[in-house]
Amino acid sequence: MSQEYFPLEPLSVIEYVKQLDAVQSIFSADEDLTAEEIGDGNLNLVFKIRAKADPKRTVVVKQSLPYMRLVGDEWPLPIERARIEAQALEIEARLCPEHTPHVYHFDPVMYAIVMQNLDNHIIMRKGLSAGVQYPHFADHIGKFLAKTLGYTSDLVLDYRTKKEQVGRFINPELCKITEDLVFTEPYRPTERNAFHPAIEPQVLAMQANTAVHVEVAKMKEKFMTQAQALVHGDLHTGSIMINHNETVVIDPEFAFYGPMGFDIGAVIGNLLLSYASHETRTKDPIQQADFRRYLTESIIRLWKVFEQEFQAIWDHVDAINMPKGYQADYMLRLLQDAAGMGGCKMLRRVVGLAGVSDLRGIEDDTDRATAESLALNIGQTLLLKHSQINTIEALVELAVGCRPTYG
Ligand code: SR1
Ligand code: MG
């Protein structure tokens, strides 16, 4: 093991992997390996390592850089986030192994995680852009959310363990990125915002809307103060690797003790970003309606699975012994938080620094602006109306009632 941190490169990562005991069952010590840096994330180095003789024998090495990869070294970041990610993956693997990648090794000096290469899966965002439907996704993610959020909350953990866990997952710098990029910058003119010029009138109207500022402040306060459960913290469709049968959640480096609605809202908001993108990605009305039905049914289903599994965990353990009626009130608040925070997650992807390929990848300029205009309207509607939403069906109804302003 190396004594000092250095950023890996395709050659050094091969030498690095070869000396790890943890992968001896996959690669033999003298075997030829290949390394490819896939680098499509905003933050880290990611290498795929394969045995030349048998590319199916493969691992991924993910290493933290001391700065934001997307922006450069003028935006320093703590490499410590790899430790948070490794610990969160350990907990998720214990609670929900079927939806968590296998970790072979965590190196606390190199801030590198060696893990399963999900070679038979694709990034869900890409599949959704291509109009692919994943029939088990909603059940899988509903269950993942229920287990990872339920079992790490006060509803299950004893009072001391819960507080110790909050301490282990203090993640200030990555939380600050979210506080800035999700809950602050989209709502005011800043240098880092980037949006399509055609939707500028809509963006300016949103930024001038006092009600938007008040509702986003409520969401930001919850994000900053409500240590409800160990949340993934960045559960968008780029953090989900998927195929027809399997769903695996990756990348919990933003994990911390925060509001459950932030994770649930991230998934819902990202499905609705896809919904908005198919305003123009899919022109055929029958295909468009079919795919959008899949997306909205998935939102309803994932919430229902979450609700059922979460309540079952709560009923079984009930560490805080709350009175009757409290559970229904709690579940309603989770739904409303998910709507409000999901709305913010949509808005940041249209207006803010880090966009998503669902929208920014639409080649035709007018098509892109039209889809982004719709995403902005859905995000704003969910944010403004979150406290009036009483059912998941009502949330979906509000979203599908929106139309693009532009186009
Ligand atoms: C500047 S990029 C930061 C974003 O990338 C991550 O995936 C998070 O969503 C974060 O907000
Ligand atoms: Mg990520």
Side-chain angles (χ1 to χ4, degrees):
M1 192 167 87
S2 99
Q3 296 306 303
E4 242 178 59
Y5 173 89
F6 63 92
L8 291 162
E9 288 173 3
L11 278 181
S12 54
V13 76
I14 290 179
E15 292 316 306
Y16 174 75
V17 165
K18 278 185 174 174
Q19 48 85 45
L20 294 175
D21 289 344
V23 295
Q24 305 261 304
S25 59
I26 302 173
F27 308 124
S28 54
D30 52 0
E31 130 157 76
D32 278 348
L33 305 180
T34 62
E36 176 199 2
E37 210 279 300
I38 52 172
D40 57 355
N42 293 331
L43 270 66
N44 306 293
L45 292 171
V46 182
F47 300 92
K48 289 192 170 191
I49 318 292
R50 296 175 197 280
K52 256 192 192 155
D54 174 14
K56 287 201 183 102
R57 285 189 284 116
T58 173
V59 297
V60 156
V61 178
K62 176 175 178 183
Q63 186 186 34
S64 293
L65 284 168
Y67 55 84
M68 170 89 72
R69 182 184 179 139
L70 178 73
V71 177
D73 52 12
E74 68 266 32
W75 191 335
L77 277 184
I79 46 180
E80 172 76 0
R81 63 189 186 276
R83 193 261 309 159
I84 298 261
E85 175 163 346
Q87 288 178 344
L89 285 170
E90 195 184 314
I91 292 173
E92 290 167 358
R94 190 156 27 83
L95 298 175
C96 210
E98 61 278 38
H99 303 307
T100 306
H102 180 71
V103 172
Y104 298 103
H105 180 67
F106 169 59
D107 182 338
V109 175
M110 291 293 280
Y111 292 97
I113 303 173
V114 183
M115 63 183 130
Q116 179 185 2
N117 181 3
L118 296 156
D119 238 5
N120 300 320
H121 303 70
I122 70 162
I123 294 172
M124 187 179 189
R125 189 184 299 293
K126 292 186 182 165
L128 292 181
S129 288
V132 180
Q133 301 185 14
Y134 300 100
H136 306 294
F137 157 76
D139 284 33
H140 290 170
I141 285 293
K143 197 164 90 181
F144 176 87
L145 288 166
K147 289 190 170 176
T148 57
L149 300 176
Y151 281 116
T152 60
S153 74
D154 289 286
L155 305 173
V156 170
L157 295 180
D158 82 276
Y159 75 99
R160 181 177 296 280
T161 310
K162 157 74 193 310
K163 273 83 172 176
E164 284 166 0
Q165 290 295 78
V166 173
R168 278 177 89 205
F169 286 98
I170 296 286
N171 197 356
E173 302 309 328
L174 274 76
C175 284
K176 179 74 166 86
I177 292 175
T178 305
E179 288 154 25
D180 290 344
L181 295 187
V182 179
F183 295 113
T184 308
E185 294 183 9
Y187 310 97
R188 59 175 69 148
T190 72
E191 268 181 24
R192 290 205 296 225
N193 282 345
F195 51 84
H196 196 296
I199 60 166
E200 188 174 23
Q202 245 181 294
V203 173
L204 294 181
M206 177 184 80
Q207 291 179 341
N209 185 336
T210 312
V212 167
H213 287 275
V214 171
E215 296 310 316
V216 83
K218 291 181 193 167
M219 296 298 108
K220 184 173 175 178
E221 185 204 327
K222 267 186 199 269
F223 180 84
M224 295 179 77
T225 61
Q226 194 172 15
Q228 216 173 19
L230 179 62
V231 298
H232 176 285
D234 200 22
L235 193 37
H236 53 80
T237 46
S239 296
I240 297 172
M241 302 290 295
I242 199 158
N243 61 31
H244 190 81
N245 300 312
E246 293 173 330
T247 310
V248 183
V249 176
I250 61 168
D251 274 5
E253 66 202 302
F254 282 77
F256 76 113
Y257 261 78
M260 299 184 191
F262 189 69
D263 273 2
I264 306 164
V267 180
I268 293 174
N270 275 269
L271 293 176
L272 290 173
L273 284 171
S274 180
Y275 179 97
S277 79
H278 284 280
E279 178 73 15
T280 50
R281 273 187 183 278
T282 303
K283 306 266 191 211
D284 177 83
I286 294 172
Q287 278 179 9
Q288 186 193 65
D290 180 57
F291 191 64
R292 284 179 153 177
R293 194 174 319 108
Y294 162 72
L295 291 171
T296 52
E297 284 176 1
S298 293
I299 292 171
I300 292 172
R301 174 91 190 147
L302 82 84
W303 170 263
K304 294 208 157 150
V305 171
F306 165 75
E307 192 177 38
Q308 196 184 359
E309 298 263 336
F310 186 88
Q311 286 177 331
I313 294 168
W314 188 343
D315 291 343
H316 183 65
V317 185
D318 198 9
I320 53 174
N321 194 20
M322 289 302 197
K324 269 223 161 314
Y326 174 73
Q327 195 181 76
D329 175 72
Y330 189 104
M331 298 310 292
L332 179 60
R333 280 185 282 120
L334 289 190
L335 177 65
Q336 294 177 345
D337 289 354
M341 294 187 192
C344 295
K345 297 283 271 183
M346 295 184 74
L347 296 170
R348 65 78 58 107
R349 296 299 187 188
V350 180
V351 180
L353 169 70
V356 284
S357 57
D358 317 48
L359 296 168
R360 294 196 183 168
I362 296 174
E363 274 172 27
D364 180 85
D365 221 37
T366 307
D367 281 355
R368 181 185 148 191
T370 305
E372 292 189 351
S373 169
L374 176 57
L376 202 65
N377 284 340
I378 297 175
Q380 216 173 300
T381 301
L382 293 185
L383 174 63
L384 288 171
K385 303 216 165 134
H386 72 274
S387 60
Q388 298 156 36
I389 292 173
N390 292 321
T391 62
I392 189 66
E393 288 84 358
L395 185 157
V396 164
E397 211 172 296
L398 276 177
V400 304
C402 293
R403 298 299 307 139
T405 305
Y406 176 84

